[in-house]
Amino acid sequence: MSLLAEIREKASKLGKTIVLPEGTEERTLQAIKGIIDQKIATPILLGDESEIKGMAGKIGADLTGAEIINPARAPFFDDFVQAFYEMRKSKGVDLDKAKKTMLDPLFFASMMVKMGKADGEVAGAENTTGNVLRPALQIIKTAPGITAVSGAFIVIVPDCEFGANGTFVFADCAVTIDPTAEELAAFAKASVATATDLCGIEEPHIGMLSFSTKGSASHAMVDKVTQATAIAKEKYPELKIDGEFQFDAAIVPKVGASKAPGSDVAGQCNVLIFPDINSGNIGYKIAQRLGKAEAIGPILQGIAKPVNDLSRGCSVEDIVNVVAMTAVRA
């Protein structure tokens, strides 16, 4: 069974509710049948009911089993307005602004998750990552002890003896362009949950990547990674983490033993933290295109409750899979 099939099966046993704020987006509507048929989650679509049903009829999408909520007519709309006002009044938000904001499906969806009306949120088929993240960060905020949000990819390399039988978590490949040392340490902590909850990796070993291994080069970019490693070890002593490592020293046992003797992580890493989004994004695409790897993501990490961002080029199957991953994380 593939990892995605395992995730869908796991989700089917949990009975979670996932809100999809892009209620008239065609692929989202087409994904509903797969979500329902596989019992992955109970989906909630946001928007005007007649518009949603009209679009579904136009494209032949079956919405049986989905709930539709019009934010403006929701019985808890006024409660959401008051809650958002209380959260943001110190930022200059008045009740009128709070009301207008809660009419935005992305903000309303995040408030549903915050207030326990939904277990998770999936959006991004027609919105940018920034638009999806902004309400999540304002309303749900980051998880305790996590200072920054990151975007991870699950990378599954066929016929690979490294990592967890060829499975790795790569982060951050999608969100923070030039993270600080503190943020890199937070990415490491958040990536462990992705490794254990979604990949089934029982012992995450985290490698903090660089173009240097244990002082083989001297540069400010190396210093950032060594500092991040030290911060992670201090803040999260339960983690199996080390660095700075070159890629081969992180995943190949023989190279790790040679370049980082004495490290109990070198050569065994299955969670790889890249020093910036350049290297992370390039790295997962190289693995995908040249290594024939399956790359699943991005999976948003570090938010207190699960919110996931779709690619605007996503397929119907992608949406079903991301809903399943969100349900499992919930």
PDB file of all heavy atoms in Angstrom, residues 80-90 93-95 98 111:
ATOM      1  N   PHE A  80     -18.431  34.928  15.847  1.00  0.00           N
ATOM      2  CA  PHE A  80     -17.138  34.996  15.173  1.00  0.00           C
ATOM      3  C   PHE A  80     -16.673  36.450  15.040  1.00  0.00           C
ATOM      4  O   PHE A  80     -15.491  36.749  15.218  1.00  0.00           O
ATOM      5  CB  PHE A  80     -17.215  34.351  13.781  1.00  0.00           C
ATOM      6  CG  PHE A  80     -17.162  32.844  13.790  1.00  0.00           C
ATOM      7  CD1 PHE A  80     -17.328  32.104  14.955  1.00  0.00           C
ATOM      8  CD2 PHE A  80     -16.951  32.148  12.608  1.00  0.00           C
ATOM      9  CE1 PHE A  80     -17.284  30.716  14.949  1.00  0.00           C
ATOM     10  CE2 PHE A  80     -16.898  30.754  12.587  1.00  0.00           C
ATOM     11  CZ  PHE A  80     -17.067  30.041  13.758  1.00  0.00           C
ATOM     12  N   VAL A  81     -17.605  37.332  14.709  1.00  0.00           N
ATOM     13  CA  VAL A  81     -17.266  38.756  14.591  1.00  0.00           C
ATOM     14  C   VAL A  81     -16.728  39.276  15.919  1.00  0.00           C
ATOM     15  O   VAL A  81     -15.688  39.942  15.973  1.00  0.00           O
ATOM     16  CB  VAL A  81     -18.503  39.572  14.159  1.00  0.00           C
ATOM     17  CG1 VAL A  81     -18.227  41.083  14.277  1.00  0.00           C
ATOM     18  CG2 VAL A  81     -18.905  39.228  12.729  1.00  0.00           C
ATOM     19  N   GLN A  82     -17.417  38.950  17.013  1.00  0.00           N
ATOM     20  CA  GLN A  82     -16.990  39.425  18.328  1.00  0.00           C
ATOM     21  C   GLN A  82     -15.632  38.836  18.704  1.00  0.00           C
ATOM     22  O   GLN A  82     -14.760  39.525  19.230  1.00  0.00           O
ATOM     23  CB  GLN A  82     -18.043  39.038  19.386  1.00  0.00           C
ATOM     24  CG  GLN A  82     -17.781  39.602  20.767  1.00  0.00           C
ATOM     25  CD  GLN A  82     -17.856  41.119  20.822  1.00  0.00           C
ATOM     26  OE1 GLN A  82     -18.664  41.735  20.128  1.00  0.00           O
ATOM     27  NE2 GLN A  82     -17.004  41.737  21.648  1.00  0.00           N
ATOM     28  N   ALA A  83     -15.441  37.546  18.400  1.00  0.00           N
ATOM     29  CA  ALA A  83     -14.173  36.893  18.723  1.00  0.00           C
ATOM     30  C   ALA A  83     -13.025  37.527  17.940  1.00  0.00           C
ATOM     31  O   ALA A  83     -11.942  37.768  18.496  1.00  0.00           O
ATOM     32  CB  ALA A  83     -14.260  35.403  18.422  1.00  0.00           C
ATOM     33  N   PHE A  84     -13.251  37.796  16.659  1.00  0.00           N
ATOM     34  CA  PHE A  84     -12.190  38.396  15.850  1.00  0.00           C
ATOM     35  C   PHE A  84     -11.892  39.816  16.326  1.00  0.00           C
ATOM     36  O   PHE A  84     -10.720  40.227  16.393  1.00  0.00           O
ATOM     37  CB  PHE A  84     -12.577  38.405  14.367  1.00  0.00           C
ATOM     38  CG  PHE A  84     -11.460  38.856  13.463  1.00  0.00           C
ATOM     39  CD1 PHE A  84     -10.380  38.024  13.212  1.00  0.00           C
ATOM     40  CD2 PHE A  84     -11.474  40.112  12.875  1.00  0.00           C
ATOM     41  CE1 PHE A  84      -9.329  38.445  12.395  1.00  0.00           C
ATOM     42  CE2 PHE A  84     -10.436  40.533  12.051  1.00  0.00           C
ATOM     43  CZ  PHE A  84      -9.364  39.699  11.815  1.00  0.00           C
ATOM     44  N   TYR A  85     -12.937  40.548  16.699  1.00  0.00           N
ATOM     45  CA  TYR A  85     -12.739  41.905  17.243  1.00  0.00           C
ATOM     46  C   TYR A  85     -11.875  41.858  18.503  1.00  0.00           C
ATOM     47  O   TYR A  85     -10.928  42.643  18.642  1.00  0.00           O
ATOM     48  CB  TYR A  85     -14.098  42.530  17.539  1.00  0.00           C
ATOM     49  CG  TYR A  85     -14.018  43.758  18.427  1.00  0.00           C
ATOM     50  CD1 TYR A  85     -13.469  44.946  17.962  1.00  0.00           C
ATOM     51  CD2 TYR A  85     -14.468  43.701  19.748  1.00  0.00           C
ATOM     52  CE1 TYR A  85     -13.379  46.065  18.790  1.00  0.00           C
ATOM     53  CE2 TYR A  85     -14.382  44.797  20.580  1.00  0.00           C
ATOM     54  CZ  TYR A  85     -13.830  45.979  20.098  1.00  0.00           C
ATOM     55  OH  TYR A  85     -13.733  47.069  20.919  1.00  0.00           O
ATOM     56  N   GLU A  86     -12.166  40.941  19.396  1.00  0.00           N
ATOM     57  CA  GLU A  86     -11.389  40.841  20.634  1.00  0.00           C
ATOM     58  C   GLU A  86      -9.934  40.480  20.335  1.00  0.00           C
ATOM     59  O   GLU A  86      -9.014  40.977  20.983  1.00  0.00           O
ATOM     60  CB  GLU A  86     -12.009  39.793  21.564  1.00  0.00           C
ATOM     61  CG  GLU A  86     -13.386  40.153  22.099  1.00  0.00           C
ATOM     62  CD  GLU A  86     -13.379  41.362  23.022  1.00  0.00           C
ATOM     63  OE1 GLU A  86     -12.313  41.711  23.562  1.00  0.00           O
ATOM     64  OE2 GLU A  86     -14.460  41.971  23.209  1.00  0.00           O
ATOM     65  N   MET A  87      -9.722  39.607  19.346  1.00  0.00           N
ATOM     66  CA  MET A  87      -8.355  39.201  18.979  1.00  0.00           C
ATOM     67  C   MET A  87      -7.544  40.345  18.394  1.00  0.00           C
ATOM     68  O   MET A  87      -6.339  40.453  18.623  1.00  0.00           O
ATOM     69  CB  MET A  87      -8.401  38.090  17.913  1.00  0.00           C
ATOM     70  CG  MET A  87      -8.823  36.741  18.384  1.00  0.00           C
ATOM     71  SD  MET A  87      -8.863  35.634  16.919  1.00  0.00           S
ATOM     72  CE  MET A  87      -9.759  34.254  17.613  1.00  0.00           C
ATOM     73  N   ARG A  88      -8.213  41.201  17.619  1.00  0.00           N
ATOM     74  CA  ARG A  88      -7.483  42.154  16.773  1.00  0.00           C
ATOM     75  C   ARG A  88      -7.733  43.623  17.118  1.00  0.00           C
ATOM     76  O   ARG A  88      -7.238  44.504  16.421  1.00  0.00           O
ATOM     77  CB  ARG A  88      -7.864  41.928  15.308  1.00  0.00           C
ATOM     78  CG  ARG A  88      -7.615  40.521  14.785  1.00  0.00           C
ATOM     79  CD  ARG A  88      -6.147  40.146  14.748  1.00  0.00           C
ATOM     80  NE  ARG A  88      -5.419  40.904  13.737  1.00  0.00           N
ATOM     81  CZ  ARG A  88      -4.113  40.824  13.538  1.00  0.00           C
ATOM     82  NH1 ARG A  88      -3.383  40.013  14.293  1.00  0.00           N
ATOM     83  NH2 ARG A  88      -3.529  41.551  12.606  1.00  0.00           N
ATOM     84  N   LYS A  89      -8.460  43.912  18.195  1.00  0.00           N
ATOM     85  CA  LYS A  89      -8.748  45.306  18.496  1.00  0.00           C
ATOM     86  C   LYS A  89      -7.488  46.089  18.836  1.00  0.00           C
ATOM     87  O   LYS A  89      -7.397  47.282  18.546  1.00  0.00           O
ATOM     88  CB  LYS A  89      -9.776  45.419  19.629  1.00  0.00           C
ATOM     89  CG  LYS A  89      -9.351  44.834  20.969  1.00  0.00           C
ATOM     90  CD  LYS A  89     -10.502  44.934  21.973  1.00  0.00           C
ATOM     91  CE  LYS A  89     -10.128  44.320  23.312  1.00  0.00           C
ATOM     92  NZ  LYS A  89     -11.264  44.375  24.270  1.00  0.00           N
ATOM     93  N   SER A  90      -6.494  45.398  19.385  1.00  0.00           N
ATOM     94  CA  SER A  90      -5.226  46.080  19.681  1.00  0.00           C
ATOM     95  C   SER A  90      -4.478  46.450  18.402  1.00  0.00           C
ATOM     96  O   SER A  90      -3.555  47.273  18.436  1.00  0.00           O
ATOM     97  CB  SER A  90      -4.336  45.200  20.555  1.00  0.00           C
ATOM     98  OG  SER A  90      -3.963  44.017  19.870  1.00  0.00           O
ATOM     99  N   VAL A  93      -8.559  47.018  14.789  1.00  0.00           N
ATOM    100  CA  VAL A  93      -9.769  46.459  14.181  1.00  0.00           C
ATOM    101  C   VAL A  93     -10.983  46.830  15.031  1.00  0.00           C
ATOM    102  O   VAL A  93     -11.020  46.560  16.229  1.00  0.00           O
ATOM    103  CB  VAL A  93      -9.655  44.924  14.053  1.00  0.00           C
ATOM    104  CG1 VAL A  93     -10.984  44.310  13.605  1.00  0.00           C
ATOM    105  CG2 VAL A  93      -8.553  44.549  13.074  1.00  0.00           C
ATOM    106  N   ASP A  94     -11.997  47.486  14.396  1.00  0.00           N
ATOM    107  CA  ASP A  94     -13.246  47.770  15.092  1.00  0.00           C
ATOM    108  C   ASP A  94     -14.289  46.735  14.683  1.00  0.00           C
ATOM    109  O   ASP A  94     -14.028  45.844  13.864  1.00  0.00           O
ATOM    110  CB  ASP A  94     -13.721  49.196  14.810  1.00  0.00           C
ATOM    111  CG  ASP A  94     -13.929  49.478  13.327  1.00  0.00           C
ATOM    112  OD1 ASP A  94     -14.059  48.508  12.540  1.00  0.00           O
ATOM    113  OD2 ASP A  94     -13.956  50.667  12.936  1.00  0.00           O
ATOM    114  N   LEU A  95     -15.490  46.831  15.242  1.00  0.00           N
ATOM    115  CA  LEU A  95     -16.517  45.823  14.983  1.00  0.00           C
ATOM    116  C   LEU A  95     -16.937  45.801  13.516  1.00  0.00           C
ATOM    117  O   LEU A  95     -17.213  44.733  12.955  1.00  0.00           O
ATOM    118  CB  LEU A  95     -17.733  46.060  15.885  1.00  0.00           C
ATOM    119  CG  LEU A  95     -17.586  45.556  17.324  1.00  0.00           C
ATOM    120  CD1 LEU A  95     -18.747  46.050  18.187  1.00  0.00           C
ATOM    121  CD2 LEU A  95     -17.535  44.022  17.353  1.00  0.00           C
ATOM    122  N   ALA A  98     -14.294  43.973  11.699  1.00  0.00           N
ATOM    123  CA  ALA A  98     -14.373  42.555  12.054  1.00  0.00           C
ATOM    124  C   ALA A  98     -15.496  41.871  11.282  1.00  0.00           C
ATOM    125  O   ALA A  98     -15.335  40.738  10.808  1.00  0.00           O
ATOM    126  CB  ALA A  98     -14.587  42.403  13.555  1.00  0.00           C
ATOM    127  N   MET A 111     -11.543  30.844  11.468  1.00  0.00           N
ATOM    128  CA  MET A 111     -12.266  31.002  12.729  1.00  0.00           C
ATOM    129  C   MET A 111     -13.061  29.739  13.058  1.00  0.00           C
ATOM    130  O   MET A 111     -13.178  29.364  14.239  1.00  0.00           O
ATOM    131  CB  MET A 111     -13.200  32.209  12.662  1.00  0.00           C
ATOM    132  CG  MET A 111     -13.821  32.571  14.003  1.00  0.00           C
ATOM    133  SD  MET A 111     -12.614  33.050  15.271  1.00  0.00           S
ATOM    134  CE  MET A 111     -12.332  34.771  14.818  1.00  0.00           C
TER     135      MET A 111
END
